[in-house]
Amino acid sequence: MSCERYALAASTVFDGTGILPGAPAVIIYGGGIEAVVPVADVPSSVHVVRLPGAFLMPGITDSHIHVASLGESMLNVDLSSCASAAECARLVGEAAAARPPGEWIVARGWRASTWADDSFPSAALLDAHVPRNPVFCRSFDGHSVWVNSRALSLAGVSSGTPDPPGGIIGRGPSGAPAGVLRENAIELVRSAVPQPTPAERRESIRRAQSRLNSLGVTGVHDVNGFSDFALAAEMARSGELTVRFSGACGPDEIAAARDAAASAPRDSLAGIAGVKLFADGSINSRTCALFEPFEGTQDTGVMTIDPAGLADAVRTANAAGLPVFVHAIGDRAVSSVLDAVMDHGVAAVRNRVEHAALIGPGDVSRMAAMHVTASMQPSHIVTDIAPCERYLGDRCGRAYVFRSLLDAGVVLAFGTDAPVVSADPRHGIFAAVARTGFDLSPPGGWYPAQKLAMAEALTAFCRGAAISIGRGSDLGRIAPGFAADITVLGVNPLGVEPAAVLEIPVHMTVVSGRIVFSVI
C-alpha cells in the first residue's frame, strides 16, 4: 500500500465504462483513489505525475489465469511454435541431451489440431528421440499429455490400466497405451512427475507477476487452487505481491477457503474468490462435452464430473458464500452447470461459467436470468477458428457469443487462461473486437455479429472482472473510494483500429497505489 499522496494526470481517463469529461486528475492516497478532480484543483502539496497522450483506466484484471503455471512455463521446453509431432519430438530430444539420464523432461504447448496430421502423437516417436529420460509434454490447453514409454512405465500405466472416470488413455490396436492421456487420465502420469517445492512455486508466482505487471495487469483471478493462494497470501504479508490475487480453491478445500476468506482483511492483496470445478475438457483435445458429436465422429466428449458431484459442490460452495467457477466449454457441459446452479445454488451468490465457448439455444437467457457470469478468454479465438470449424461445423455460430451474452444482460469477465495462451491482455481485447486471427482472417471477422466495441472489451477486463467476484463496490472503477489499481496505456485504444491495440505500449501499472511498473 502506498502512503504518499500523489496524482496521475493523463490525457484520457476511462472510468470502467466510459470516458470522464475534462481529463481529470486521479488523486491517490493510502492504496485508494481519494479524489477525481480537474487538474487545476489538485492541491499544490500533491505531486502530479503528468502523462501527456496517455490513457488511464481501471487496472486490467485477468479473470482466468494459472499464475504459478505461467511462471513455471517460462522454464519448460516450449512446443507452441511446432508445426508437427516430429518437430516437437526433436525439440524435446535436444533438451534431453543436456540433462542427466533419468531426469524428467517437462514440455508444454503442442497443438495437434493445427498440424497437417491432427491425429494424436505416439510414445514411440518420443522414444526415438528421448530413450533415457521420462517425458511429460502438456498440450497447449492442458487437457492432454503426451508421454514416452519410460514415463508410462514409471507411472505404472499399462494395457491393464483402466480409463479413470472422466479420463481417456489413448491406446493402440493391442490395447497398450499409445502415448496420449486426456482429462482425468492425466493424473495417472502427472503423479509420478516430481512436483515443485513451495519455494519453487513461490518463485514461479514472483516470475509471473513481474511479467503481468509489465503487461498492465493489476489483478488476477487465479484458478490453481488453495495452496497457490496460501503462497500469494504469504507474499502479500511480506510485501512481495505486486498483483491483486483472487484465488479459487478446489471442491475439497472449501472449508479452508471459507476460513481464509473470513479472516483475510478487506484491504489484503490476496483473497479467496471462489471454488474451481471442471465439467468437461476442451475443443482442441476433442474432450469438451457436446450434445451432438464432433464432426465426422460419434464422440460427444467427456463430462469430467458426475451430476451428483457437481450438485454437491455447488450446494456446499454457495452455502459457504463462495461462488463456483466451473470450467465448461461444450454446450452439454454449460447446460449441466446451469442445471446444477438452478437446482442447488444460492440466488444471492454470483456463480461463474469459465470459458463458455459453445452455448446451446436458450442457455444465454438462462445465464442472464440466474445472474451467472460468463468468464471468457477472447484470445482463444485467435487460434481456435480453424479447430472450431473442423470439429464443430455449423455450431460455430454459437461459439464465443460475446455480443449475445452482453445484450442479454450477462456480465462478461475477460481473462487469458495463460499459460494456455499468451498472458498479454491486448490479445484478448483485439480478439473480442476483431474476431480474427493475427493475420486478420477471415476478412470482416469470424461471425462478426458477435463482435464487441472497444470500450465493452475494456470493461470486461476491469469492471466486469470486479463484479464477477463480488467486488464491484471497491474494484474496477476510477472513482473516489475505489482501490487505486490503475493501468496507464501509451495510446487511447478507443481511437485506433483493432490490430493497432496489439502494439499499444504499457506506460504504468499501479496496484493499491503502489507503482509496480513504469516506463515514465
Side-chain angles (χ1 to χ4, degrees):
M1 185 179 296
S2 173
C3 295
E4 178 187 0
R5 182 180 278 106
Y6 67 99
L8 298 177
S11 295
T12 307
V13 178
F14 179 79
D15 72 349
T17 58
I19 299 298
L20 294 180
V26 179
I27 300 177
I28 297 166
Y29 180 67
I33 296 174
E34 184 177 60
V36 179
V37 300
V39 176
D41 292 347
V42 176
S44 59
S45 60
V46 176
H47 172 63
V48 178
V49 179
R50 297 186 182 276
L51 304 163
F55 179 89
L56 184 151
M57 64 176 285
I60 292 173
T61 293
D62 192 319
S63 297
H64 186 107
I65 186 172
H66 311 261
V67 176
S69 301
L70 172 62
E72 288 175 4
S73 73
M74 297 177 186
L75 305 179
N76 294 160
V77 181
D78 182 9
L79 306 179
S80 61
S81 63
C82 293
S84 67
E87 186 179 353
C88 289
R90 179 180 58 78
L91 285 181
V92 174
E94 291 173 357
R99 310 280 185 86
E103 181 178 312
W104 280 84
I105 308 300
V106 178
R108 184 173 189 130
W110 62 273
R111 192 182 186 111
S113 61
T114 64
W115 301 340
D117 175 4
D118 71 346
S119 57
F120 288 116
S122 69
L125 180 58
L126 282 175
D127 293 343
H129 289 267
V130 192
R132 303 181 305 163
N133 301 74
V135 177
F136 185 86
C137 302
R138 280 195 181 274
S139 61
F140 88 100
D141 60 8
H143 289 267
S144 300
V145 294
W146 175 23
V147 299
N148 65 354
S149 296
R150 187 173 287 270
L152 290 167
S153 176
L154 288 173
V157 178
S158 67
S159 57
T161 304
D163 287 2
I168 302 169
I169 301 172
R171 302 177 190 271
S174 69
V180 170
L181 299 90
R182 292 183 282 166
E183 302 307 335
N184 292 350
I186 292 172
E187 183 61 23
L188 298 175
V189 178
R190 193 206 67 83
S191 60
V193 181
Q195 297 303 301
T197 65
E200 291 169 335
R201 197 78 173 168
R202 184 166 173 157
E203 182 58 33
S204 291
I205 294 174
R206 187 178 293 110
R207 189 182 305 114
Q209 71 177 4
S210 178
R211 171 66 175 154
L212 292 167
N213 290 156
S214 75
L215 294 170
V217 176
T218 65
V220 295
H221 299 173
D222 180 79
V223 291
N224 266 356
F226 186 78
S227 60
D228 280 5
F229 158 74
L231 291 173
E234 290 177 4
M235 294 174 67
R237 287 191 290 270
S238 64
E240 299 171 80
L241 197 65
T242 62
V243 292
R244 191 173 297 278
F245 193 105
S246 301
C249 68
D252 57 343
E253 301 169 323
I254 291 175
R258 180 188 57 221
D259 293 344
S263 61
R266 183 73 170 178
D267 62 353
S268 172
L269 284 183
I272 287 290
V275 177
K276 175 68 184 297
L277 306 168
F278 281 90
D280 69 344
S282 74
I283 294 170
N284 285 270
S285 288
R286 287 157 268 178
T287 50
C288 62
L290 304 173
F291 282 117
E292 300 295 332
F294 292 97
E295 292 293 294
T297 78
Q298 298 300 311
D299 183 4
T300 58
V302 179
M303 287 292 296
T304 56
I305 188 171
D306 61 60
L310 181 57
D312 183 63
V314 170
R315 185 186 306 110
T316 304
N318 283 191
L322 294 170
V324 289
F325 297 179
V326 191
H327 168 117
I329 287 180
D331 52 4
R332 179 161 59 102
V334 172
S335 186
S336 296
V337 171
L338 297 181
D339 288 345
V341 169
M342 180 173 63
D343 294 340
H344 306 284
V346 173
V349 177
R350 180 180 284 279
N351 293 292
R352 299 191 351 180
V353 174
E354 306 297 308
H355 310 303
L358 185 70
I359 303 180
D363 279 344
V364 168
S365 60
R366 284 216 295 163
M367 289 182 73
M370 291 189 286
H371 304 291
V372 172
T373 296
S375 171
M376 305 178 78
Q377 302 75 45
S379 52
H380 283 310
I381 287 178
V382 173
T383 52
D384 276 6
I385 292 175
C388 282
E389 294 284 352
R390 181 183 299 178
Y391 302 136
L392 301 180
D394 292 343
R395 288 168 288 185
C396 289
R398 295 191 278 108
Y400 300 104
V401 289
F402 309 134
R403 170 55 58 198
S404 294
L405 287 162
L406 194 63
D407 286 353
V410 176
V411 169
L412 296 178
F414 280 170
T416 66
D417 204 12
V420 172
V421 295
S422 169
D424 192 335
R426 293 171 297 187
H427 293 187
I429 295 167
F430 160 79
V433 176
R435 289 185 70 93
T436 68
F438 291 137
D439 62 357
L440 303 184
S441 65
W446 187 60
Y447 294 91
Q450 295 297 335
K451 290 180 179 180
L452 294 184
M454 188 69 72
E456 292 168 333
L458 295 177
T459 296
F461 268 109
C462 56
R463 188 87 188 115
I467 292 170
S468 79
I469 59 168
R471 299 291 299 272
S473 63
D474 68 333
L475 296 178
R477 189 176 167 202
I478 300 298
F482 281 71
D485 294 353
I486 294 168
T487 301
V488 179
L489 304 177
V491 175
N492 180 352
L494 302 181
V496 302
E497 292 297 313
V501 171
L502 299 170
E503 304 301 326
I504 290 179
V506 176
H507 278 185
M508 183 180 290
T509 307
V510 181
V511 177
S512 192
R514 174 185 172 189
I515 298 173
V516 296
F517 174 82
S518 177
V519 296
I520 305 301

